[in-house]
Structures are given as structure tokens and as C-alpha cells.
Amino acid sequence: METLNRSITGVVNRYPEKVLQFGEGNFLRAFADWQIQEMNEKADFNGSVVVVQPRGSGKIERLNRQDGLFTLYLQGIKEGHEVNEHLVVDSISRGINLDQDYDQYLKLAESDKLRFVISNTTEAGIRFNENARLEDRPQEGFPAKLTAFLYHRFQRFNGDFSMGCVLIPCELIENNGPELKKVVLQYAKHWNLEPAFVEWLHEANTFCSSLVDRIVPGYPKDSDDEKEAELGYRDELMVVSEQYYLFVIEGPEWLKNELPFQKAGLNSFIVDDLTAYRERKVRILNGAHTAMLPVCYLYGLDTVSQSVNDEVTGAFVKELIAEEIIPAMKYSEEEMKAYAQDVLERFRNPYIHHFLSSLALNAVSKFNARNVPTLVDYVKKKQELPQRITFSLSALFYFYKGKRGEEDIPLDDSPEIIEEFKELWQKVDSKELQLTAFVQNILSKEQWWGRDLSSISGLTTAVAEHLKLIEDKGMKAALLEVNAAFTK
């Protein structure tokens, strides 16, 4: 069977390269690249995407083998009906392997057609790394790569203010636009770049915060043969997504003319303030995903739909949202409950097999961004710990032991975090370290959490007690026991 390419699909669209995309993963392709295709077809956006990798290069090579094409399956509720449809997305022109083709990357910075930069490097991606150097090819870390790109563009166009970019990070951190700009400015200072470049960053470039919402399980590994038989070609980058999506960008009014979302009929908006959109989505949808991951995976389940449909884990997830996440928020309880009900229905999507393992990338930083704010706000408001979030935090620590029964868990996080957990768990298992000291050590890591979580009254003891329960009885028995305690 032939691999997907432009010759077998008849796709000939070649648009100017207007977008640089950091991230070749499933989410941006099923979310941003699909919307760019919609704008090309319905609103004359007339732009294509060049993709570079934040790390690794396997998907870049596969993307180029397929001429930038991939098949997107959209499955779920659309206009009140269950819909299962697919299309070939053709908005990506090419991928650049930064490890091998760095000169192509710099050449793209010289293009007067380039206008936008989008990214999704997870919550761990927007960080300053003092070891990154301008002369590296490529630099270490997304913001360093971006700074080098912008500096080359600044030099090529002699600081022309009309050659700035609109930067739209999609990482799920608060104020992701200003946070990215802050790190870029750190690199400008760290690398002793001239004041004129700093002025150009401020005056010529627009860093927008954004909120993204679409559940994208990714490659359909449980049904790829069936789907390829239906399609009649091989597709190594096939991706499955739900029908629902929402894209909110906090930006200036003039941006509406450059990103014609409304003309294309998209559920995407440019607004003055996205705070309310962001908080409900990050805390309810993403927070529930991240909290359920260690609990439900260690319980023995593999997908999100299994987790919400199971009597025991489903009750945990629903009560987590209703009893702890929503009460900690400052917005209309009625509106938050309605949104939560929609989220649970999306989790149950019969077409989507959203594997819990796909939620595990950088789970510590995700828990910090999505669940720790709820924990802190709940404590402030109620003067007590949110029990289910606390239990989930305990389960997360156990998850990083790297075992589900006899099965190894393929941990996917920074080497520092994985190694720290490995060393501490070895000390616990050898009786060198008590569980309470283990928990104290992890919770007090301000570089992980942005604060000393061990200073929260009772948290260290509660997490240690839950950990002991999971260790002694296993997740199934532990969750049954704590569920009963929670409802008393």
C-alpha cells in the first residue's frame, strides 16, 4: 500500500509560507493546522505552515515523506448528531529538521512572507536555560531557538518594524504570550544582543496569549489497519480528534483582519481578555485529565472514556470536578457546572479512544499548572485540603515509581524529574527513607512547583498517608477506601 503523498491525493495547493510552527505533534496538527486549512479554503488566508521540532526529529522526517499531508478523523457530536468524518489536511508545506537543516531555518527567518509563529511545547517548554547559546545550531529549548530566529530576522531586515511577527504560544500556562516574551527578552540580555533588537522585539512583534480546547487522542493505534484499509493508503501521521474545538486569542483588534476566523465560520475568537475562558478550561477539562491520569491508569484502565464510565473511577472524576475544582473557582457556579457537564460528555465520546498514557508527557509540570492552583485556592477558601486532588497528587508520585503491577510505565518527563523520583523511590524501597520524608522532599522543590508545597498545612502528611495506602493495598482497594471516606 502506497504512503500518503500529494500525487495520490491530487492535492496541489501551494500557499506562501506564512506560519512557523514549533511542534509537530498531534495536537497542533489537528487543531491549528486544520484551522489554517479551513481559513485557506473559506476565507483566503493564503498561507501554509513550516513545522520545526522542539525535540527529536522522527515526525519531521515522516511529515516530509508524506509531503506535509496527514489524515484527520473528526469524530463526535456535531450540530447535535454523532458524526464520523475524515479529510486530508494540506496546510503544512514542509518540516525542517533543526539538527540537520539549520540553515533552512535561518533562511525562513529571511522570508518577507512569514508573519506568524505558533507553538505547543507543553507546559515545560517556556523556560529559560542559561546554558543555551546563540551560536548553537540549534539552541537548546524552544524559547532559545525562537530568540535566535527572531534575531536573525531582525538582522536580515535591518530592524524594519514591518517585518515583526505575531507570536501565539498554545502552551497551557497562564499569560503564555507575556511569559514567552519574558524568556525571549532574558535571552536577548543573556546573549548581550544590541538594544535595537530589544526595541524591535517590543515595537515590531506582538506576543498574544491564547487558549486552546480540543481533545486530540492522536494516532489511532487500535484501529490504524482498519482506517488505512478504508483510506487506501498508508498514513504514519494519521490523527483522531473530537469534533469540538475552541481557540481564543488575546490580541489587538487589527489581528481579526489577519486571522479571518469568523469569515471561515470557525469557533475561534480574538478578544481583549481570555482569563475566564482559560481558567474554566485549564482547571476543569485539563485539570480533570491530569488528575485522573495516575489514579485511573494505576487502577488498571487505559482510556479516558473507560475512566469516566467506570463506577468507581467515574465517581472519583465527577466528584473531583463538582466538589473541589468548581468550588475553588470565582466564576458563576451555574456556568461552570454546565461547562463541566459538557466536558464529561466529551470524555465519553464513543468514537474516541483517548489513551491515558497520551496524557503522561511532563505530568509533573501539567499537575503544577492545572491542579496546584485549584489546591491552593481551595485551601484558602475552605481552610481544608481538597481530598481528591490530594489523593491524585499522591497517585502521581506513585506513578513516577514507573510500575503498574509487573508492567513498566514508560515515563516521559525531563531527565531531572525522572531521575529524582527514581533515586528517592530506591531509597524508600531500601528503607533508607521514610515515605513522609520522601513526600517532604518532593513537595518542597520550588523549582518544580514555583513554591514550597510542603508549607501547606497537612499536605505532606495526607500525601504520605495516601501513598502508604496505595503501596500497601494497591490502587483499586485504595480508591475504594478513600471514595468511601470522601463521601462521609
Side-chain angles (χ1 to χ4, degrees), residues 9 36 39 53 67 128 140 210 232 254 267 271 306 324 335 341 358 391 401 413 432 442:
T9 62
I36 289 169
M39 289 193 293
Q53 81 276 15
D67 296 333
F128 177 75
E140 186 176 347
S210 76
W254 55 258
N267 191 41
V271 300
Q306 288 174 344
E324 297 181 4
E335 290 180 11
Q341 188 59 41
S358 71
F391 182 78
K401 194 171 186 179
D413 212 316
E432 266 185 81
I442 298 296

Side-chain angles (χ1 to χ4, degrees), residues 192-207:
N192 296 313
L193 304 182
E194 57 263 44
F197 172 61
V198 175
E199 181 187 12
W200 183 81
L201 284 174
H202 285 300
E203 300 298 330
N205 298 272
T206 304
F207 288 78

Side-chain angles (χ1 to χ4, degrees), residues 90-134:
D90 69 349
S91 58
I92 296 175
S93 62
R94 60 186 169 126
I96 297 176
N97 182 340
L98 294 180
D99 296 326
Q100 297 177 4
D101 301 309
Y102 191 78
D103 285 339
Q104 285 190 38
Y105 178 63
L106 296 182
K107 189 71 176 173
L108 181 65
E110 299 175 5
S111 169
D112 60 2
K113 300 290 191 297
L114 187 82
R115 178 58 170 155
F116 300 95
V117 178
I118 59 177
S119 66
N120 185 30
T121 56
T122 82
E123 288 87 334
I126 301 180
R127 289 184 179 176
F128 177 75
N129 178 357
E130 64 178 11
N131 296 318
R133 302 178 305 165
L134 178 61

Side-chain angles (χ1 to χ4, degrees), residues 378-411:
Y378 188 96
V379 170
K380 285 180 182 176
K381 191 171 183 179
K382 302 282 191 178
Q383 301 301 306
E384 62 183 25
L385 292 171
Q387 298 176 343
R388 295 167 188 84
I389 291 176
T390 301
F391 182 78
S392 175
L393 182 59
S394 310
L396 181 69
F397 289 2
Y398 198 82
F399 182 87
Y400 274 76
K401 194 171 186 179
K403 284 285 188 180
R404 179 168 75 167
E406 297 302 313
E407 171 192 350
D408 287 333
I409 297 174
L411 300 174

Side-chain angles (χ1 to χ4, degrees), residues 17 132 141 252 304 367:
E17 293 178 340
V304 170
F367 197 98

Side-chain angles (χ1 to χ4, degrees), residues 222-487:
D222 58 336
S223 60
D224 54 348
D225 290 341
E226 174 189 329
K227 285 181 168 60
E228 287 184 343
E230 174 189 14
L231 296 169
Y233 54 76
R234 286 189 51 77
D235 185 351
E236 297 181 278
L237 295 171
M238 188 189 320
V239 60
V240 172
S241 165
E242 68 172 337
Q243 289 278 355
Y244 178 88
Y245 67 97
L246 172 68
F247 195 11
V248 185
I249 298 171
E250 190 174 280
E253 185 73 16
W254 55 258
L255 189 56
K256 293 178 181 179
N257 294 323
E258 295 199 39
L259 290 174
F261 293 132
Q262 297 308 296
K263 187 177 178 182
L266 294 168
N267 191 41
S268 300
F269 308 94
I270 296 165
V271 300
D272 294 330
D273 186 354
L274 57 71
T275 305
Y277 289 99
R278 181 194 178 279
E279 190 163 325
R280 76 172 189 179
K281 189 263 178 176
V282 170
R283 293 205 184 191
I284 295 176
L285 189 148
N286 299 112
H289 266 160
T290 300
M292 76 167 67
L293 160 67
V295 175
C296 300
Y297 189 81
L298 293 172
Y299 192 85
L301 302 174
D302 292 315
T303 69
V304 170
S305 59
Q306 288 174 344
S307 301
V308 295
N309 288 325
D310 180 88
E311 183 178 355
V312 177
T313 57
F316 176 83
V317 174
K318 284 179 273 191
E319 290 163 8
L320 167 83
I321 295 172
E323 302 295 329
E324 297 181 4
I325 295 178
I326 291 176
M329 298 174 71
K330 60 187 176 184
Y331 303 105
S332 161
E333 186 173 342
E334 184 178 344
E335 290 180 11
M336 295 304 102
K337 284 182 176 179
Y339 178 74
Q341 188 59 41
D342 288 343
V343 164
L344 289 169
E345 288 303 315
R346 291 165 64 191
F347 286 173
R348 293 190 185 96
N349 188 336
Y351 291 109
I352 297 279
H353 301 295
H354 194 176
F355 287 92
L356 293 168
S357 56
S358 71
L359 304 172
L361 174 65
N362 295 323
V364 169
S365 63
K366 285 178 177 175
F367 197 98
N368 185 46
R370 303 171 179 186
N371 299 97
V372 168
T374 296
L375 188 155
V376 170
D377 288 348
Y378 188 96
V379 170
K380 285 180 182 176
K381 191 171 183 179
K382 302 282 191 178
Q383 301 301 306
E384 62 183 25
L385 292 171
Q387 298 176 343
R388 295 167 188 84
I389 291 176
T390 301
F391 182 78
S392 175
L393 182 59
S394 310
L396 181 69
F397 289 2
Y398 198 82
F399 182 87
Y400 274 76
K401 194 171 186 179
K403 284 285 188 180
R404 179 168 75 167
E406 297 302 313
E407 171 192 350
D408 287 333
I409 297 174
L411 300 174
D412 195 356
D413 212 316
S414 71
E416 170 208 343
I417 287 176
I418 292 173
E419 188 59 32
E420 184 72 12
F421 270 112
K422 180 181 177 181
E423 290 179 5
L424 290 173
W425 271 118
Q426 286 175 344
K427 289 181 179 179
V428 170
D429 290 341
S430 66
K431 310 300 182 187
E432 266 185 81
L433 193 68
Q434 296 296 313
L435 274 177
T436 301
F438 166 85
V439 172
Q440 171 79 25
N441 190 307
I442 298 296
L443 290 179
S444 63
K445 290 186 179 299
E446 294 188 32
Q447 68 271 33
W448 291 11
W449 311 109
R451 68 194 90 192
D452 181 356
L453 291 182
S454 69
S455 65
I456 296 176
S457 178
L459 184 61
T460 300
T461 300
V463 171
E465 288 175 353
H466 289 321
L467 262 182
K468 185 170 186 343
L469 186 63
I470 296 168
E471 180 98 304
D472 291 347
K473 298 188 176 182
M475 180 55 76
K476 285 192 174 182
L479 186 56
L480 281 170
E481 189 170 318
V482 295
N483 266 356
F486 293 159
T487 54

